[in-house]
Amino acid sequence: MNNGSSTGNLKRHLKSHSDKFDPSMAKQAEFMKNFLQEGNPQMTFTNKNFRDKLALWVVADDQPFTVVESDEFHDLIKLCNPMALIPSADTVRNDVLDTFKNYQTTMQNLLQNSPGKISFALDGWTSPNVISFLGITCHYIDADWDLKDILVDFVDLSGPHSGENLANVFTKCLQDKKILTKILAITTDNAANNDTFFKEFEKVCNENHIDFHHKRNHVRCVAHIMNLAVQEILKHIKAGEAQDEDSILENLSSGTISTSKVIPRVRSK
């Protein structure tokens, strides 16, 4: 047995605390419970911790708030811990909103106190049910020289996807979090409205005496550039005319064509 393993550590711990052994099963269970909780107070169950974890699970697994009203869910939780108080769907909703507000406060403090400038990345799209969103992420180096990536906002866009509208939404996001002055650069794709966005945002920065240039501080997304390049290449090449499988097998069996000629070849227009 490896003395450095978890089992070895447990064995040494039990030997050094032999006075705690008791033949009673209840005492042994209590001893093991205390041992497992040593140095890990988070393992202690409280209904507050349960509600916090429940809210995180609902968000992470995209569960409906009403999942807590299921009889099977109640049975599962009571099996795990009969002392658990299962909140209502409305309470779960409020807990999720409170968690979001706490996250926003923590994130804002982190960004405001970051030692240097912050880069941002923006991307907008429309969902299948025709709702427009703008995702905003930020990237910076913290005091320990670690690269940090944070989701700053996920905005429900109203109005057109014009550069002016995007600039207004992005500016409001940074002003609300009091980090407008910390901007370094912005990464976007090559959509035409982004050119207008950068020019409009440059005006905002000039009004606030912030050094920002619509070209110098614009980082174009490399993945999008590669995608555009590949699409342009594909416009100028095409595959040979396809044959159905019966024709291919017939030609092969008769020896009319060789195997190498069966494979369609890509050729220039």
Side-chain angles (χ1 to χ4, degrees):
M1 180 185 296
N2 184 356
N3 289 333
S5 67
S6 298
T7 308
N9 293 334
L10 174 60
K11 184 177 180 180
R12 287 194 298 274
H13 183 88
L14 294 177
K15 284 183 177 180
S16 62
H17 294 82
S18 57
D19 59 308
K20 295 183 180 179
F21 281 105
D22 190 288
S24 166
M25 289 298 294
K27 288 289 185 66
Q28 290 185 33
E30 183 66 21
F31 164 71
M32 184 54 68
K33 176 182 177 182
N34 293 335
F35 167 72
L36 291 174
Q37 290 179 354
E38 284 184 7
N40 191 5
Q42 292 183 351
M43 291 188 66
T44 303
F45 175 86
T46 67
N47 277 292
K48 174 64 169 60
N49 289 341
F50 170 64
R51 280 178 52 180
D52 290 343
K53 294 297 183 183
L54 180 61
L56 290 175
W57 170 70
V58 166
V59 173
D61 276 7
D62 198 21
Q63 296 290 332
F65 299 138
T66 54
V67 69
V68 296
E69 297 175 352
S70 163
D71 291 337
E72 288 75 16
F73 181 81
H74 277 244
D75 292 341
L76 174 63
I77 298 302
K78 290 301 181 181
L79 176 64
C80 295
N81 192 325
M83 302 300 295
L85 300 178
I86 301 174
S88 66
D90 288 339
T91 300
V92 173
R93 176 184 178 276
N94 292 333
D95 288 345
V96 168
L97 292 176
D98 288 342
T99 300
F100 171 75
K101 292 175 183 177
N102 292 336
Y103 171 82
Q104 287 286 313
T105 301
T106 301
M107 176 193 62
Q108 183 170 320
N109 291 334
L110 281 174
L111 297 182
Q112 288 178 359
N113 296 312
S114 61
K117 296 287 187 176
I118 302 172
S119 292
F120 294 86
L122 311 181
D123 195 17
W125 69 96
T126 302
S127 67
N129 54 342
V130 200
I131 299 177
S132 299
F133 295 99
L134 178 67
I136 304 174
T137 62
C138 76
H139 317 272
Y140 67 97
I141 304 295
D142 68 7
D144 296 322
W145 287 91
D146 292 325
L147 176 62
K148 299 296 183 181
D149 307 297
I150 296 178
L151 174 62
V152 178
D153 212 337
F154 196 72
V155 185
D156 181 0
L157 282 176
S158 59
H161 285 200
S162 64
E164 294 87 347
N165 191 31
L166 294 177
N168 291 334
V169 170
F170 182 63
T171 299
K172 184 178 185 304
C173 173
L174 269 57
Q175 287 177 334
D176 288 347
K177 294 172 176 53
K178 299 179 175 59
I179 54 175
L180 180 62
T181 59
K182 297 183 73 68
I183 190 164
L184 173 63
I186 306 173
T187 299
T188 69
D189 60 23
N190 295 277
N193 59 343
N194 282 326
D195 292 333
T196 306
F197 159 76
F198 274 91
K199 291 177 181 178
E200 291 297 319
F201 186 70
E202 180 182 355
K203 294 178 183 178
V204 173
C205 291
N206 289 337
E207 292 170 358
N208 290 273
H209 308 290
I210 299 170
D211 182 22
F212 187 91
H213 190 270
H214 68 277
K215 289 186 177 180
R216 186 177 63 247
N217 297 87
H218 183 188
V219 180
R220 297 182 182 272
C221 177
V222 175
H224 189 245
I225 293 173
M226 293 177 63
N227 179 271
L228 293 176
V230 171
Q231 289 188 49
E232 189 63 26
I233 292 172
L234 291 176
K235 289 179 182 178
H236 299 282
I237 61 175
K238 66 177 182 179
E241 185 177 349
Q243 291 180 281
D244 62 68
E245 61 272 21
D246 291 335
S247 298
I248 293 174
L249 292 174
E250 183 179 348
N251 290 331
L252 283 174
S253 61
S254 64
T256 305
I257 60 173
S258 64
T259 306
S260 61
K261 292 183 179 180
V262 174
I263 302 173
R265 290 177 294 179
V266 176
R267 67 174 186 269
S268 300
K269 283 185 176 180

